[in-house]
Amino acid sequence: MSSQPVIPARPEQLEAILLVGGQGTRLRPLTISTPKPLLPTAGVPFLAHQLAKAAAAGVTRVVLATSYRAAMFSECLGDGSAFGLEIVYVQEDTPLGTGGAIRNAAQALHSAPASPVIVLNGDVLSGHDLAAQLDLHSKMDAAVTLHLVEVPDPARFGCVPTDTDGRVTAFLEKTPHPVTNRINAGCYVFRRSVIDVIKPGVVTSVERETFPGLIDAGEVVMGYPDTSYWLDVGTPEAFVQGSCDLVLGRLHSPALRASGVPGEMLVLEGARVDPAARVTGGTVVGAGCLIEAGAQVAGSVLFDGVRIGAGAQVSASVLGCGVQIGESAVLERAVIGDGARVATGNELRAGMRLWPGVDLGPTSVRFSTDV
Ligand code: GTP
């Protein structure tokens, strides 16, 4: 008879810390007014996907580690009951880095020293099995268990080699010749007592300081490798990709109950798409948007109140609230800040960004539906 490994029972209250205090500089100008974890993604704030995933894995209580635009989080997410969770908020006066933020958030945890605590970066979409990562952590009685993903271009990241038992052996900085294509995916299970020994109030990086320190001290740091969907939405290209993938159904999110998903487009409340317009590629058309006849919008994210004029072409772009795009304008991989206007006939390509409120002339914006 084969003996099954004994997996310790989960604590009654499973807690998670979500790191959401970063400034999201790579996503400017979108993050000037809204922190990255609250940007609308497939029609809901980005964090809704992570909160729903955490709840589905058995998490009951979440500590949000905030810093940049901290007040917006509680205004948007409240006490968490909409997600079947209790959410509490901890704010850093000055950003403490990933390790310092986790240590600072620990003051609000209820978990016992030996209990597992999940830590998530607030900008990752992942289809991996969080409950299985927790089980591995408990089975191995690890200090920390890290989700690892395989990427085709590991030279762009630091890589994380493991031994034959799955124990992490090092955290290697970026190098042109990485020894593995596995990288840190930004989702950890910590033994709570391991968080408590991080120095309080000091800027600390888990990747550069805490994890290598644990390995040097001979602690069990496990890798949980996985090949399911994974995306860090930190850049405009990845942000648009993540939203489109959710709408197209390439990644299932328990936060998406909207009709129309999966589909070529997700049209939110009060938006109008002219029957002679073409909207494809998992585009989100935000609440109250208007897309006129002959316009083509592919694989893009339109926040609320955007207007796209007749015959305009928009692809792989993200348009902030209230943006106006004139007739026949062309946008390709563009990032347009809230309230900006692109006049008829302009072309913005190759990652161009317009800051909020910019009025790109010289001609005025025309719409065929204007009176
Ligand atoms: P960029 O400025 O574009 O690099 O984005 P970012 O500020 O979000 O940094 P990064 O993508 O490296 O951060 C990964 C995750 O950790 C994000 O969810 C951030 O919100 C979070 N984060 C980064 N630094 C801090 C910090 O000092 N405090 C807190 N609470 N969270 C942080």
Side-chain angles (χ1 to χ4, degrees):
M1 213 172 72
S2 68
S3 62
Q4 295 292 315
V6 180
I7 296 176
R10 295 260 164 74
E12 259 170 43
Q13 187 174 62
L14 181 57
E15 294 184 300
I17 295 171
L18 259 71
L19 299 176
V20 296
Q23 299 212 358
T25 51
R26 290 166 297 160
L27 274 177
R28 281 184 191 153
L30 304 172
T31 46
I32 291 174
S33 54
T34 307
K36 174 168 57 174
L38 295 181
L39 289 174
T41 311
V44 293
F46 183 83
L47 269 191
H49 302 293
Q50 283 181 318
L51 292 170
K53 183 180 166 85
V59 171
T60 52
R61 193 161 179 277
V62 171
V63 180
L64 244 61
T66 66
S67 179
Y68 177 65
R69 292 197 167 271
M72 290 183 76
F73 288 91
S74 50
E75 283 161 20
C76 177
L77 305 168
D79 64 2
S81 47
F83 302 93
L85 293 164
E86 181 192 353
I87 300 182
V88 291
Y89 301 87
V90 172
Q91 184 180 347
E92 294 143 52
D93 295 332
T94 54
L96 291 171
T98 46
I102 295 168
R103 176 66 180 86
N104 191 55
Q107 61 183 294
L109 292 173
H110 291 167
S111 297
S115 294
V117 174
I118 294 168
V119 177
L120 298 166
N121 275 2
D123 57 357
V124 168
L125 279 177
S126 169
H128 87 287
D129 186 344
L130 190 48
Q133 184 182 349
L134 264 167
D135 286 345
L136 175 71
H137 177 83
S138 302
K139 194 177 91 183
M140 301 307 293
D141 193 21
V144 183
T145 302
L146 289 91
H147 175 209
L148 303 179
V149 285
E150 295 182 357
V151 292
D153 51 350
R156 281 182 45 226
F157 306 85
C159 68
V160 185
T162 51
D163 67 14
T164 48
D165 297 326
R167 276 178 76 156
V168 174
T169 53
F171 283 81
L172 302 175
E173 297 284 340
K174 279 184 208 173
T175 149
H177 306 292
V179 295
T180 170
N181 60 352
R182 285 189 182 155
I183 64 160
N184 172 8
C187 170
Y188 320 114
V189 184
F190 274 81
R191 187 192 301 137
R192 194 246 153 101
S193 57
V194 170
I195 298 177
D196 291 337
V197 296
I198 299 172
K199 262 198 186 150
V202 176
V203 176
T204 309
S205 156
V206 283
E207 299 85 353
R208 284 190 297 278
E209 295 164 79
T210 313
F211 297 150
L214 288 169
I215 292 170
D216 288 348
E219 295 276 3
V220 177
V221 177
M222 289 300 298
Y224 176 79
D226 184 87
T227 54
S228 49
Y229 184 100
W230 180 83
L231 188 69
D232 171 344
V233 301
T235 62
E237 297 75 23
F239 175 73
V240 172
Q241 173 84 51
S243 181
C244 293
D245 285 347
L246 284 162
V247 174
L248 290 167
R250 291 181 182 146
L251 171 69
H252 168 73
S253 165
L256 283 188
R257 289 189 208 96
S259 55
V261 175
E264 284 291 315
M265 62 175 171
L266 173 61
V267 180
L268 302 182
E269 226 175 71
R272 279 188 296 140
V273 178
D274 189 284
R278 191 168 149 72
V279 181
T280 57
T283 294
V284 178
V285 182
C289 288
L290 171 66
I291 301 183
E292 293 189 338
Q296 294 187 23
V297 185
S300 294
V301 183
L302 315 186
F303 293 0
D304 294 348
V306 170
R307 297 183 71 173
I308 311 253
Q313 293 177 37
V314 176
S315 63
S317 296
V318 51
L319 280 53
C321 290
V323 162
Q324 298 188 21
I325 306 298
E327 284 177 21
S328 306
V330 178
L331 268 66
E332 184 223 329
R333 289 191 291 125
V335 183
I336 312 294
D338 293 345
R341 307 197 321 155
V342 177
T344 299
N346 278 288
E347 296 194 11
L348 297 182
R349 298 186 190 266
M352 281 191 68
R353 302 182 187 206
L354 278 196
W355 247 235
V358 167
D359 194 346
L360 194 64
T363 51
S364 62
V365 178
R366 283 198 313 266
F367 292 98
S368 53
T369 46
D370 283 344
V371 281

